[in-house]
Amino acid sequence: MDNIAEDCNQAMSLKHQTERAIHLATEHAKFLVHPDGHWAGPLLSDTIFTTQYIFTLLSLTQPISEADHKSFIRFFLSAEEEDGSWALAPKHPYGGNLSVTVETYMTLKMLGFSPSHPIMEKARAWILEHGGIEKVRNTTRVFLAMFGILSWSSIPQLSPELIFLPTWSPLSIFRAAMWARTIIVPLLVLRAYEPVYPLPRTVSASEVPSYLDELWCTRLPGKPRILPYTKPSIPLLLSNPISFLFQLLDLLLLYIFIPVLSRLPARRLAIEACMRYMMDRQDPEGP
């Protein structure tokens, strides 16, 4: 009986705590509501949304106001982890992420934040400890290639003609999630044109290849870096046949299909289809 009474008391206590929490949350929500009935608050995410927005501004040679410049730097510094890294999300349980940290470090440097600053030194040490630029993901490689820091040959082959594949095809972009297609389709166009945009005007053309030399674990001559994205074929075939097939497809695209496709009228039509796909799905507000 004593155990039953104790369980009842605990249940009542939990019920009371739950009701109180709901009441406090409701009152707080009422306090935060705007006069027209809506709520607004900060979106908590990793820093790459902001870094990639800045990459877009710089690639389009759009000016960044002094107020925005200060806000960007303040945001990046506020999101840094204690160990010098930046994570996939604020207070992420798995800690820092190498690609996010490299992109954020690069953006801070592009904004004129000194690499000799203790915060940058701490970030740089963390990056090198976790494999350096050599270990970043492919999407980060794209941004590095866009500014001439990496060679475009470091990026896996992507052909805009993929947009024409039927939905039943294993490689159809429509087999990917909607959010993933918003990334894949622009990458198809970028990979076709392989653009290289200028770094901030404070960086001379001769400095571009070595712009992030401090983040490499291996030192190479001051030329556009090339990172292999393929693995030795025989070990890959034995350990992961599916990955081997994708690697084989990439090589076929590189040496056979893409040199032919890029010279056919279908290339222009494919790029137009990719552009139309993106424009048709753009929100009226612009994003």
Side-chain angles (χ1 to χ4, degrees), residues 212-281:
L212 291 180
D213 260 7
E214 67 270 22
L215 300 186
W216 287 74
C217 289
T218 55
R219 296 290 178 179
L220 299 172
K223 296 180 180 180
R225 308 299 200 220
I226 299 176
L227 289 175
Y229 58 84
T230 57
K231 298 179 179 180
S233 297
I234 300 302
L236 185 62
L237 174 62
L238 297 175
S239 63
N240 194 332
I242 300 298
S243 295
F244 172 79
L245 289 176
F246 276 100
Q247 183 164 297
L248 180 61
L249 175 62
D250 182 87
L251 294 174
L252 291 173
L253 283 170
L254 175 61
Y255 293 109
I256 299 176
F257 294 114
I258 286 182
V260 174
L261 290 172
S262 62
R263 292 173 170 81
L264 297 176
R267 170 54 56 93
R268 178 179 57 81
L269 296 175
I271 291 174
E272 289 177 355
C274 290
M275 299 296 292
R276 190 163 53 251
Y277 176 92
M278 291 184 281
M279 299 298 289
D280 288 347
R281 287 157 180 80

Side-chain angles (χ1 to χ4, degrees), residues 3 31 72 81 89 109 165 169 195 211 217 220 265:
N3 290 337
F31 175 76
F72 288 145
E81 300 289 321
K109 188 172 181 178
L165 290 180
S169 171
Y211 188 64
C217 289
L220 299 172

Side-chain angles (χ1 to χ4, degrees), residues 83-102:
D83 59 6
S85 67
W86 281 270
L88 284 168
K91 308 300 180 185
H92 196 279
Y94 297 111
N97 178 274
L98 178 61
S99 296
V100 174
T101 303
V102 168

Side-chain angles (χ1 to χ4, degrees), residues 17 63 66 72 107 144 257 264 285:
Q17 292 176 30
E66 183 177 351
F72 288 145
T107 307
L144 294 170
F257 294 114
L264 297 176
E285 296 84 358

Side-chain angles (χ1 to χ4, degrees), residues 54-92:
I54 294 172
F55 293 156
T56 302
L57 291 177
L58 293 174
S59 64
L60 297 174
T61 64
Q62 293 296 304
I64 298 175
S65 69
E66 183 177 351
D68 284 346
H69 185 278
K70 291 179 179 179
S71 296
F72 288 145
I73 291 179
R74 185 166 58 248
F75 166 67
F76 290 139
L77 299 186
S78 70
E80 188 180 31
E81 300 289 321
E82 292 183 3
D83 59 6
S85 67
W86 281 270
L88 284 168
K91 308 300 180 185
H92 196 279

Side-chain angles (χ1 to χ4, degrees), residues 52 55 98-100 102-103 106 131-158 187 190-191 194-196 212 216 225-231 250:
Q52 293 171 13
F55 293 156
L98 178 61
S99 296
V100 174
V102 168
E103 287 186 34
M106 173 182 171
I133 279 182
E134 295 93 325
K135 299 295 183 180
V136 297
R137 61 192 174 193
N138 283 324
T139 49
T140 301
R141 291 186 181 199
V142 169
F143 295 116
L144 294 170
M146 282 172 54
F147 291 98
I149 298 167
L150 273 186
S151 166
W152 274 100
S153 60
S154 301
I155 317 297
Q157 297 300 315
L158 292 168
L187 285 179
L190 281 173
R191 193 66 180 86
E194 300 184 355
V196 177
L212 291 180
W216 287 74
R225 308 299 200 220
I226 299 176
L227 289 175
Y229 58 84
T230 57
K231 298 179 179 180
D250 182 87

